Amino acid sequence: MSSTFGKNIKISVFGQSHSDAIGVVIDGLPSGEPIDTDELAAFMSRRAPSGAAYSTARRESDFPKIVSGLFDRRTCGAPLCAIIENSDTRSSDYSEIKDKPRPGHADLTAIMRYGEWRDYRGGGHFSGRLTAPLCVAGGICIQLLRRKGVHIGAHISSLCGIADTPYDPVKLTRADLESNCGDFPVRSASAFEKMARLIADCKAVGDSVGGIIECGVVGFPGGIGDPMFDGLENRLSAALFAIPALKGVEFGAGFAVGSMKGSENNDCFCMENGEITCMTNNAGGIAGGISTGMPIIFRVAVKPTPSIAIGQQTVSLSEKTDCMLNIKGRHDPCILPRAVPVVEAVCAIVLADFLL
Amino acid sequence: MSSTFGKNIKISVFGQSHSDAIGVVIDGLPSGEPIDTDELAAFMSRRAPSGAAYSTARRESDFPKIVSGLFDRRTCGAPLCAIIENSDTRSSDYSEIKDKPRPGHADLTAIMRYGEWRDYRGGGHFSGRLTAPLCVAGGICIQLLRRKGVHIGAHISSLCGIADTPYDPVKLTRADLESNCGDFPVRSASAFEKMARLIADCKAVGDSVGGIIECGVVGFPGGIGDPMFDGLENRLSAALFAIPALKGVEFGAGFAVGSMKGSENNDCFCMENGEITCMTNNAGGIAGGISTGMPIIFRVAVKPTPSIAIGQQTVSLSEKTDCMLNIKGRHDPCILPRAVPVVEAVCAIVLADFLL
Amino acid sequence: MSSTFGKNIKISVFGQSHSDAIGVVIDGLPSGEPIDTDELAAFMSRRAPSGAAYSTARRESDFPKIVSGLFDRRTCGAPLCAIIENSDTRSSDYSEIKDKPRPGHADLTAIMRYGEWRDYRGGGHFSGRLTAPLCVAGGICIQLLRRKGVHIGAHISSLCGIADTPYDPVKLTRADLESNCGDFPVRSASAFEKMARLIADCKAVGDSVGGIIECGVVGFPGGIGDPMFDGLENRLSAALFAIPALKGVEFGAGFAVGSMKGSENNDCFCMENGEITCMTNNAGGIAGGISTGMPIIFRVAVKPTPSIAIGQQTVSLSEKTDCMLNIKGRHDPCILPRAVPVVEAVCAIVLADFLL
Amino acid sequence: MSSTFGKNIKISVFGQSHSDAIGVVIDGLPSGEPIDTDELAAFMSRRAPSGAAYSTARRESDFPKIVSGLFDRRTCGAPLCAIIENSDTRSSDYSEIKDKPRPGHADLTAIMRYGEWRDYRGGGHFSGRLTAPLCVAGGICIQLLRRKGVHIGAHISSLCGIADTPYDPVKLTRADLESNCGDFPVRSASAFEKMARLIADCKAVGDSVGGIIECGVVGFPGGIGDPMFDGLENRLSAALFAIPALKGVEFGAGFAVGSMKGSENNDCFCMENGEITCMTNNAGGIAGGISTGMPIIFRVAVKPTPSIAIGQQTVSLSEKTDCMLNIKGRHDPCILPRAVPVVEAVCAIVLADFLL
């Protein structure tokens, strides 16, 4: 496995869904940075299961204990380790999946890769629960970036065809990033209503639903990044695919460029108050791997939660026969509300690695 | 800059569009592998400008001279360096862009990042010409992979709304990967016709057009890769964004998962001839970062060539005023035909790094 | 900071001398490996302060709690995190050094590098206490290596001129590695006596003493490693200098080659029972960065513990004047007895990274 | 193989002794740095065989052709590739060693690692000739460092017991680094005389001789580096062992610390002209992996050239019998004169990677 990432700020994520603890080591944080643990707790709570209609009933305080790297509430230069204890585990829920791999999960590939010794309880290290340490690391980076004037936000831009109001790639402001409505991050109240209803409907029938998350960044300075393998797109995408349910990432106009002419897609330059700027931002704030100074915009495709109550065909590993699987346990009918802060967190980890 | 990539097989790309030479060092190739230079030349020629209607008139033999790493036509374990001389350069074509950054190019970010010393001729290290060394490295990896039964192919799956026949993600065969029609890689003859006509039309008006490339891999064994940061999706996407014009990447069902239910998207398992297999392949052959043994399928969004003959607004760096730019020179109205082998090459580099 | 190391098996060390905890994340261990925690405890106890005449009076159980990466006592493929709580800390002992950097320590460079926010208590992340997590990682690797027939041992080969019997570089056996005498690892009983007396004498006068540790490895297969930057010597030395007190490393004949002729130093080959072997082993088992199959032998120079009771000149950071410092607290008059298992541990981490 | 190194400035070395060319790619050089090719040529000539009594008769111009990364004689930010053609090769000299591995060389380990396909001609990639690209990279870094006030020098501090005047670790100046006498870098004229005579004597009898090289750095700022795995000692030693003949490295007092008391070894602090400085420099300018601001001092042990004319016992790989080997060809009786600039070069590569 390689659950480590980063060049200057290196993170190392550990833990399984049902191990004693999960956590993260962050190596390379600059020293002297104050860490506001209340704010971190507030950020973590956005990812934590809420028990609401669209979330799992599993309850975890999910608050990390920082055991190193801080001194008098500031980073001291030493690696910061944050630990989250796994308390509310019900391993018995997962006994069946030892023999019957769940469709849409990594149960079978885990066996192919790690053999019979893989920790199958709750998906082990493949569990979405491992996004909690990512949020710890990201939540800390968000605080550092904000002090440099960099602000990150995300929203559910579409859920099974229900579209939210997209970010304006040219005029995006910090206020836009912070003004969502509803219980989960959606910009349009009517879109939120429809999404919430769809999720409730899915839950009622034991199904789940996927969607698209759009992430925006303002205040990130131009001239950061490199062409070829070390650009913003390379490292953002490499990190984002650590989020279990992701199946696609696009920057700026993204896949829509496939239907565009050069004369439409090119971002023309103009002078504005003595500064060079772009009239459009189809590039999503990145050209040649390097930030342009415009807002950074990207979207990720999040697949529907694979754990559904509806019966599905699978195989019995012991009997080598087809069989049906009815997944029990507590699962999210839609992971997107909780995935939004995870996307922000991963974005922050990568941008901090570039900037600090 | 960081034009290096890879963990076990490390590549280091060098050169600018108008420097004496461009090339690549490949470090970590296993020893004893025969390299067929005729086959490599044939692969390179797929990327080389053809002079045809849809391509630049710049002519480069583009054939690499391998100066190290081979002994008696086999890899000897030492790093392989391949050099391509830049012969047909016309630096005078680019004198205007020193002052007027081209919309859609990295001309301005290059200055922001490297200052006045950047090599502006032909886009310098940002040039699409740097995909030639990627093809050398990839062309070599393709030969190694084939001997392990792994086959890679790609086609233009859509061009400005004109759709080619997609790969069948379950039944994809090596023959499918190799059976394109027309002058560039398209599966359906009628789609090829329409695409060729569209490109010719764009060229006539001095515009360009973008599209989507679909890449398929058969024979890649299951159980390769890791969750979190070291999965196939992480490393493939990180490498693919080295291709200058890419703005998105998606695996399997990709962005379509955003409109799917879990019951639709999950790939159910079944027994087939005593082996476990998947009934569908929305995962694109990758679950939890690990190969499933099914075909690997991904798509990338390629933006329209930014160099267009149509006049565009830009700014004069010296005069700090808005101005118009009419790009002269020899440019592709559509880069996709030449980008297809580049996508295959980058895919091969990453898969060889995982497998060998 | 970069307290991470490794290519396939990556370790990330965290903690400060007086933080809540110290520990290590080990990423990339193969799955299915049984971990014997009793044996690990026994290994850790060799590094732990004993309270004996040659050791600090600080008492730490130092036993790690493994919070992830194990399932049913075997590695499951997920990153293993081991945590050691810091219990017996007396932060008040260190208040003086906040203003008066201790000669021979990194107190002043820590300020130069991390500013006033560095954790000065007990040396922070620079403390020798951070070798405990190294021993956890190494102790685990030792178990894995032993199952592959690789055995590692070390002894104090010299202490302020008192020489122990060196390893025979050609005939070294596992039994040799395991047969030390006395309370700390020395091969010759008379050398142990003299060393123990010297340490006691140093302690009596508040001074400390340095020495040389020799490490030997048997059973490591030939043909492992690479020339240039990725050889055994490169990676062993890079890792060994993580041990705070090290000032030199030499392989095989080491610095003695500087006084040798080629005809003396070259290891001639001969056939022995149908196998090619070396008649001598001045290379220390490594040629061209690659293991020869002979025992691997290296030595490291360990400086005397910088914390001594004797008064020393230093400066007051606040007053910018020269002043005297009398270090109080509990310190080792000689660190070598406890450093021996640390050297073995670091060696095991590197060799496991190469072999597994 | 892994002939790549570096974190910010990454180098990738390629070539074999008898391949078409050898060279290096340097990725990550800051842009806008003027490169003086005459000065680089002068530096390269220090490593080139001189034909003098103590050197091989092989003659190579060894001057690199820089094919990318420069624009108007300055670095442009793109990777710099330098190529040296192999012209004066006599592959026939090496036909015997295909079957009879040379004692002291990596001929046998090359087969163990790369199989029959290794390039045995002239030692292939293991050849000392590969230090020429290291000198190109180092020679460029030396120019960059000098503009930052950092100066590097080295001398033969001992040759088979003949000792040169060591550097003063406290008062070392740039002038000291530049004032050697004789045909090769020795500080004392009488030491030079004796060394030259010893080398001539060795050559006369077909033997070779080893020695110690001491390297000093002045002007390197304090506060650079990190504890644990990313300190100056870690990365310097990791890089230095890329030099084929090295068997040991020590910093500051080095192995002598093994015979010292803490009260002798500790570098006490004092105020000097309002600045904190060290009264001694046993640390060699590095404490806790971090530069102290004092001169950096280290020494490396260089083994005698393994290629000697005296007959040596080896084995026939084809016949599996003991046999004698008489190495013909053109070899250095002492590699140290040519190794001195290589040590400086590697030091410069590492320090530039830390500083720039």
Side-chain angles (χ1 to χ4, degrees):
Chain A
M1 275 204 208
S2 190
S3 297
T4 66
F5 193 81
K7 190 177 163 187
N8 300 303
I9 298 180
K10 296 177 191 164
I11 67 167
S12 184
V13 174
F14 58 86
Q16 301 111 258
S17 184
H18 290 222
S19 61
D20 286 350
I22 59 177
V24 63
V25 178
I26 315 170
D27 190 301
L29 289 173
S31 60
E33 294 283 345
I35 303 300
D36 183 329
T37 48
D38 290 340
E39 188 186 320
L40 182 60
F43 181 73
M44 293 301 295
S45 71
R46 290 177 52 203
R47 196 214 72 93
S50 61
Y54 49 88
S55 177
T56 170
R58 177 171 172 174
R59 288 203 163 272
E60 304 274 7
S61 72
D62 266 5
F63 189 66
K65 185 183 177 199
I66 297 176
V67 299
S68 71
L70 292 188
F71 183 42
D72 283 346
R73 293 164 173 269
R74 284 177 187 260
T75 56
C76 65
L80 185 153
C81 178
I83 295 170
I84 302 171
E85 286 189 28
N86 279 329
S87 46
D88 184 21
T89 54
R90 294 195 204 159
S91 295
S92 57
D93 280 347
Y94 295 94
S95 51
E96 188 178 21
I97 67 166
K98 186 179 175 184
D99 187 52
K100 298 181 183 173
R102 294 167 299 175
H105 275 281
D107 295 344
L108 190 61
T109 48
I111 295 173
M112 295 166 83
R113 177 69 179 83
Y114 302 110
E116 58 178 301
W117 306 282
R118 91 288 181 197
D119 184 353
Y120 53 81
R121 299 167 302 166
H125 191 63
F126 294 82
S127 167
R129 181 147 177 71
L130 270 292
T131 58
L134 288 177
C135 282
V136 176
I140 287 171
C141 290
I142 283 169
Q143 296 188 23
L144 272 63
L145 288 168
R146 188 183 323 119
R147 281 195 286 273
K148 299 214 169 263
V150 180
H151 302 277
I152 299 170
H155 67 117
I156 302 177
S157 62
S158 112
L159 196 80
C160 224
I162 305 165
D164 190 20
T165 313
Y167 288 141
D168 182 322
V170 173
K171 297 180 189 154
L172 186 67
T173 65
R174 177 180 174 181
D176 294 332
L177 298 173
E178 292 172 355
S179 59
N180 292 310
C181 56
D183 288 346
F184 50 79
V186 181
R187 305 184 72 206
S188 144
S190 68
F192 170 74
E193 293 281 318
K194 290 180 203 157
M195 290 183 188
R197 206 173 313 130
L198 175 63
I199 296 173
D201 291 349
C202 282
K203 185 171 188 181
V205 297
D207 209 342
S208 64
V209 64
I212 313 285
I213 292 172
E214 182 179 50
C215 185
V217 183
V218 297
F220 195 76
I224 307 289
D226 277 298
M228 276 275 161
F229 299 109
D230 214 14
L232 287 165
E233 288 145 325
N234 309 76
R235 278 159 68 178
L236 277 168
S237 62
L240 287 163
F241 280 112
I243 305 174
L246 246 68
K247 294 309 284 186
V249 60
E250 62 176 12
F251 296 87
F255 275 86
V257 298
S259 304
M260 289 166 89
K261 301 282 171 61
S263 54
E264 295 170 281
N265 179 59
N266 284 350
D267 297 316
C268 287
F269 299 109
C270 65
M271 298 301 303
E272 194 178 273
N273 305 323
E275 298 288 322
I276 302 166
T277 188
C278 294
M279 299 165 74
T280 52
N281 185 16
N282 288 316
I286 305 167
I290 300 170
S291 57
T292 63
M294 301 289 286
I296 294 171
I297 304 276
F298 63 88
R299 280 168 299 280
V300 295
V302 181
K303 72 178 185 184
T305 324
S307 289
I308 55 176
I310 295 174
Q312 298 175 91
Q313 182 174 329
T314 184
V315 295
S316 161
L317 298 174
S318 56
E319 301 181 13
K320 300 277 180 191
T321 54
D322 292 355
C323 60
M324 288 302 288
L325 176 70
N326 288 77
I327 298 175
K328 295 167 207 70
R330 305 158 294 174
H331 303 288
D332 296 274
C334 180
I335 198 68
L336 278 94
R338 297 175 58 197
V340 167
V342 180
V343 170
E344 295 172 4
V346 171
C347 177
I349 291 167
V350 175
L351 295 187
D353 192 23
F354 270 106
L355 199 61
L356 300 174
Chain B
M1 274 202 209
S2 191
S3 296
T4 66
F5 193 81
K7 189 177 164 188
N8 299 303
I9 298 181
K10 296 177 192 165
I11 68 168
S12 184
V13 174
F14 59 87
Q16 301 109 258
S17 184
H18 292 222
S19 61
D20 287 349
I22 57 176
V24 63
V25 178
I26 315 170
D27 190 301
L29 288 173
S31 61
E33 294 283 344
I35 303 300
D36 183 329
T37 48
D38 290 340
E39 188 186 318
L40 182 60
F43 182 72
M44 294 301 293
S45 71
R46 290 177 53 202
R47 196 213 72 95
S50 62
Y54 50 88
S55 177
T56 172
R58 177 172 173 173
R59 287 202 165 273
E60 304 274 7
S61 72
D62 266 5
F63 189 67
K65 185 182 176 198
I66 296 176
V67 300
S68 71
L70 292 189
F71 183 42
D72 283 347
R73 295 163 172 270
R74 284 178 185 258
T75 55
C76 66
L80 185 153
C81 177
I83 295 170
I84 302 172
E85 285 188 28
N86 279 330
S87 45
D88 184 21
T89 55
R90 293 196 205 160
S91 296
S92 57
D93 281 346
Y94 296 96
S95 50
E96 189 178 20
I97 67 164
K98 186 180 173 182
D99 187 52
K100 298 181 183 174
R102 295 166 299 175
H105 276 280
D107 294 346
L108 190 62
T109 49
I111 294 173
M112 296 166 84
R113 176 71 180 82
Y114 302 109
E116 58 178 301
W117 306 282
R118 91 289 182 197
D119 183 353
Y120 53 81
R121 299 167 302 166
H125 191 64
F126 295 83
S127 168
R129 180 145 179 73
L130 270 293
T131 57
L134 288 178
C135 282
V136 176
I140 288 171
C141 289
I142 283 170
Q143 296 188 23
L144 273 62
L145 288 169
R146 188 181 325 117
R147 280 195 285 276
K148 299 215 170 259
V150 181
H151 302 277
I152 298 170
H155 67 117
I156 302 176
S157 61
S158 112
L159 196 81
C160 223
I162 306 166
D164 189 21
T165 312
Y167 288 142
D168 182 322
V170 174
K171 295 180 191 154
L172 186 67
T173 64
R174 177 180 175 183
D176 295 332
L177 298 173
E178 293 171 355
S179 59
N180 293 310
C181 56
D183 287 346
F184 49 79
V186 181
R187 305 185 73 207
S188 144
S190 68
F192 170 74
E193 294 280 318
K194 290 179 203 156
M195 290 182 189
R197 206 173 312 131
L198 175 63
I199 296 173
D201 291 349
C202 281
K203 185 172 188 179
V205 297
D207 210 344
S208 64
V209 64
I212 314 285
I213 291 172
E214 183 179 50
C215 186
V217 183
V218 297
F220 194 76
I224 307 289
D226 276 299
M228 276 275 162
F229 299 108
D230 215 13
L232 288 164
E233 287 144 327
N234 309 75
R235 278 157 71 176
L236 278 167
S237 62
L240 286 163
F241 280 112
I243 306 173
L246 246 68
K247 294 308 284 186
V249 60
E250 61 176 12
F251 296 87
F255 274 86
V257 298
S259 304
M260 289 166 89
K261 301 283 172 61
S263 54
E264 295 170 281
N265 180 58
N266 283 350
D267 297 316
C268 288
F269 298 108
C270 65
M271 299 301 302
E272 194 177 273
N273 304 323
E275 299 288 323
I276 301 167
T277 189
C278 294
M279 298 166 74
T280 52
N281 186 15
N282 288 316
I286 305 168
I290 300 170
S291 58
T292 63
M294 301 288 287
I296 294 172
I297 304 276
F298 63 88
R299 278 168 300 279
V300 294
V302 182
K303 72 178 184 184
T305 324
S307 288
I308 56 176
I310 295 174
Q312 298 175 91
Q313 182 175 328
T314 184
V315 295
S316 162
L317 298 175
S318 56
E319 301 181 13
K320 301 277 179 191
T321 54
D322 292 355
C323 61
M324 288 302 287
L325 176 70
N326 288 78
I327 297 176
K328 296 167 205 71
R330 305 157 295 176
H331 302 288
D332 297 274
C334 180
I335 198 68
L336 277 94
R338 296 175 60 198
V340 167
V342 180
V343 170
E344 296 171 3
V346 171
C347 176
I349 291 167
V350 175
L351 295 187
D353 193 22
F354 269 106
L355 199 61
L356 299 174
Chain C
M1 278 203 204
S2 190
S3 296
T4 66
F5 193 80
K7 190 178 164 186
N8 299 303
I9 297 180
K10 296 176 191 165
I11 67 168
S12 185
V13 174
F14 59 87
Q16 302 109 258
S17 185
H18 291 221
S19 60
D20 287 350
I22 58 176
V24 63
V25 178
I26 315 170
D27 189 303
L29 288 173
S31 60
E33 294 283 345
I35 303 298
D36 183 329
T37 48
D38 289 340
E39 188 186 319
L40 182 61
F43 182 73
M44 294 300 294
S45 71
R46 289 178 53 202
R47 195 213 73 95
S50 62
Y54 49 88
S55 177
T56 171
R58 176 171 173 174
R59 289 202 164 274
E60 304 274 7
S61 72
D62 266 5
F63 189 67
K65 185 182 176 198
I66 297 176
V67 300
S68 71
L70 292 189
F71 183 41
D72 283 347
R73 294 165 172 269
R74 284 178 186 258
T75 56
C76 66
L80 185 154
C81 177
I83 295 170
I84 302 172
E85 286 188 29
N86 279 329
S87 46
D88 184 20
T89 54
R90 294 196 205 159
S91 295
S92 57
D93 280 347
Y94 295 94
S95 52
E96 189 178 20
I97 68 165
K98 185 178 175 184
D99 187 53
K100 298 180 182 173
R102 295 166 298 175
H105 276 279
D107 294 344
L108 190 61
T109 49
I111 295 173
M112 296 166 84
R113 177 70 181 81
Y114 302 108
E116 57 178 301
W117 306 282
R118 91 287 181 198
D119 184 353
Y120 53 81
R121 301 167 301 165
H125 190 64
F126 295 82
S127 167
R129 180 146 178 73
L130 270 294
T131 57
L134 288 178
C135 282
V136 176
I140 287 171
C141 290
I142 283 169
Q143 296 188 23
L144 272 64
L145 288 168
R146 190 185 320 121
R147 281 195 286 274
K148 299 215 170 260
V150 180
H151 302 277
I152 298 170
H155 67 117
I156 303 176
S157 62
S158 111
L159 196 81
C160 224
I162 305 166
D164 190 21
T165 312
Y167 289 140
D168 182 322
V170 174
K171 295 180 191 154
L172 186 67
T173 64
R174 176 179 175 182
D176 294 333
L177 298 173
E178 293 172 354
S179 59
N180 292 311
C181 55
D183 288 346
F184 50 80
V186 181
R187 305 185 73 208
S188 143
S190 68
F192 170 74
E193 294 280 319
K194 289 180 203 158
M195 290 182 187
R197 207 173 312 131
L198 175 64
I199 296 173
D201 291 350
C202 281
K203 185 171 188 181
V205 297
D207 210 343
S208 65
V209 64
I212 313 284
I213 292 172
E214 182 179 49
C215 185
V217 183
V218 296
F220 194 76
I224 307 289
D226 277 299
M228 276 276 161
F229 298 109
D230 215 13
L232 289 165
E233 287 145 326
N234 309 75
R235 277 158 69 178
L236 277 168
S237 63
L240 286 163
F241 280 112
I243 306 174
L246 246 68
K247 294 309 283 186
V249 60
E250 61 176 13
F251 296 87
F255 274 85
V257 299
S259 304
M260 289 166 89
K261 301 283 171 62
S263 55
E264 295 170 282
N265 179 59
N266 283 350
D267 297 317
C268 287
F269 299 110
C270 65
M271 299 301 301
E272 194 177 272
N273 304 324
E275 299 288 324
I276 302 167
T277 189
C278 293
M279 299 165 74
T280 53
N281 185 16
N282 288 317
I286 305 168
I290 301 170
S291 57
T292 63
M294 301 288 287
I296 293 172
I297 304 276
F298 64 88
R299 279 168 299 280
V300 295
V302 182
K303 72 178 184 185
T305 324
S307 289
I308 55 176
I310 296 173
Q312 298 174 92
Q313 182 176 327
T314 184
V315 295
S316 161
L317 298 174
S318 56
E319 301 182 13
K320 300 277 180 190
T321 53
D322 293 355
C323 61
M324 289 302 288
L325 176 70
N326 288 78
I327 298 175
K328 295 166 206 70
R330 305 157 295 175
H331 303 287
D332 297 274
C334 180
I335 198 68
L336 278 94
R338 296 175 58 198
V340 167
V342 180
V343 170
E344 295 171 4
V346 172
C347 176
I349 291 166
V350 175
L351 295 187
D353 192 22
F354 270 105
L355 199 61
L356 299 175
Chain D
M1 273 204 209
S2 190
S3 297
T4 66
F5 192 81
K7 189 177 163 189
N8 300 302
I9 299 180
K10 295 176 193 167
I11 67 168
S12 184
V13 174
F14 58 87
Q16 301 109 258
S17 184
H18 290 222
S19 60
D20 286 350
I22 59 176
V24 63
V25 178
I26 315 171
D27 190 301
L29 288 173
S31 61
E33 294 283 344
I35 303 300
D36 183 328
T37 48
D38 289 341
E39 188 186 319
L40 182 60
F43 181 73
M44 294 301 293
S45 71
R46 290 178 52 202
R47 195 214 71 96
S50 63
Y54 49 88
S55 177
T56 171
R58 177 171 171 173
R59 287 201 164 275
E60 305 274 7
S61 71
D62 266 4
F63 189 66
K65 185 182 177 199
I66 297 176
V67 300
S68 71
L70 292 188
F71 183 42
D72 283 347
R73 294 163 173 268
R74 284 178 187 259
T75 55
C76 65
L80 186 154
C81 177
I83 295 170
I84 302 172
E85 287 189 28
N86 279 330
S87 46
D88 184 21
T89 54
R90 293 195 205 161
S91 295
S92 57
D93 281 346
Y94 295 96
S95 52
E96 188 179 21
I97 67 165
K98 185 178 175 184
D99 186 52
K100 297 181 183 173
R102 295 166 299 175
H105 276 281
D107 295 345
L108 190 61
T109 49
I111 295 173
M112 295 166 84
R113 176 71 180 81
Y114 303 108
E116 56 178 303
W117 306 282
R118 92 288 182 198
D119 184 353
Y120 53 81
R121 299 166 302 167
H125 191 63
F126 294 83
S127 168
R129 181 147 177 70
L130 270 292
T131 57
L134 288 177
C135 282
V136 176
I140 287 170
C141 290
I142 283 169
Q143 296 188 23
L144 272 63
L145 288 169
R146 189 182 325 118
R147 281 195 285 273
K148 300 215 168 259
V150 180
H151 302 276
I152 298 170
H155 67 117
I156 303 176
S157 61
S158 111
L159 196 80
C160 224
I162 305 165
D164 190 20
T165 312
Y167 288 141
D168 182 322
V170 173
K171 296 179 189 154
L172 186 67
T173 65
R174 177 179 175 184
D176 295 332
L177 298 173
E178 293 171 354
S179 60
N180 292 310
C181 56
D183 289 345
F184 50 79
V186 181
R187 305 185 73 207
S188 144
S190 68
F192 169 74
E193 294 281 316
K194 290 180 203 156
M195 290 181 187
R197 207 173 312 130
L198 175 63
I199 295 173
D201 291 350
C202 281
K203 185 172 189 180
V205 296
D207 210 342
S208 64
V209 64
I212 314 285
I213 291 171
E214 183 179 49
C215 185
V217 183
V218 298
F220 194 77
I224 307 288
D226 277 299
M228 276 274 161
F229 299 109
D230 215 14
L232 288 164
E233 288 145 325
N234 308 76
R235 278 158 70 177
L236 278 168
S237 63
L240 287 163
F241 280 112
I243 306 173
L246 246 69
K247 295 307 285 184
V249 60
E250 61 176 13
F251 296 87
F255 274 86
V257 298
S259 305
M260 289 167 88
K261 300 283 172 61
S263 55
E264 295 170 281
N265 180 59
N266 284 350
D267 297 316
C268 287
F269 299 108
C270 66
M271 299 301 302
E272 194 179 271
N273 305 323
E275 299 287 324
I276 301 166
T277 189
C278 294
M279 299 166 74
T280 52
N281 185 16
N282 288 316
I286 305 167
I290 301 170
S291 57
T292 64
M294 300 289 285
I296 294 171
I297 304 276
F298 63 89
R299 279 167 300 279
V300 295
V302 182
K303 72 179 184 183
T305 325
S307 289
I308 56 176
I310 296 173
Q312 299 174 91
Q313 181 174 329
T314 185
V315 296
S316 162
L317 297 174
S318 56
E319 301 181 14
K320 301 276 179 192
T321 54
D322 292 356
C323 61
M324 288 303 288
L325 176 70
N326 288 77
I327 299 175
K328 295 167 207 68
R330 305 157 295 176
H331 303 288
D332 296 274
C334 180
I335 197 67
L336 278 94
R338 297 175 59 197
V340 167
V342 180
V343 170
E344 295 171 4
V346 172
C347 176
I349 292 167
V350 175
L351 295 187
D353 192 22
F354 270 106
L355 199 61
L356 300 175

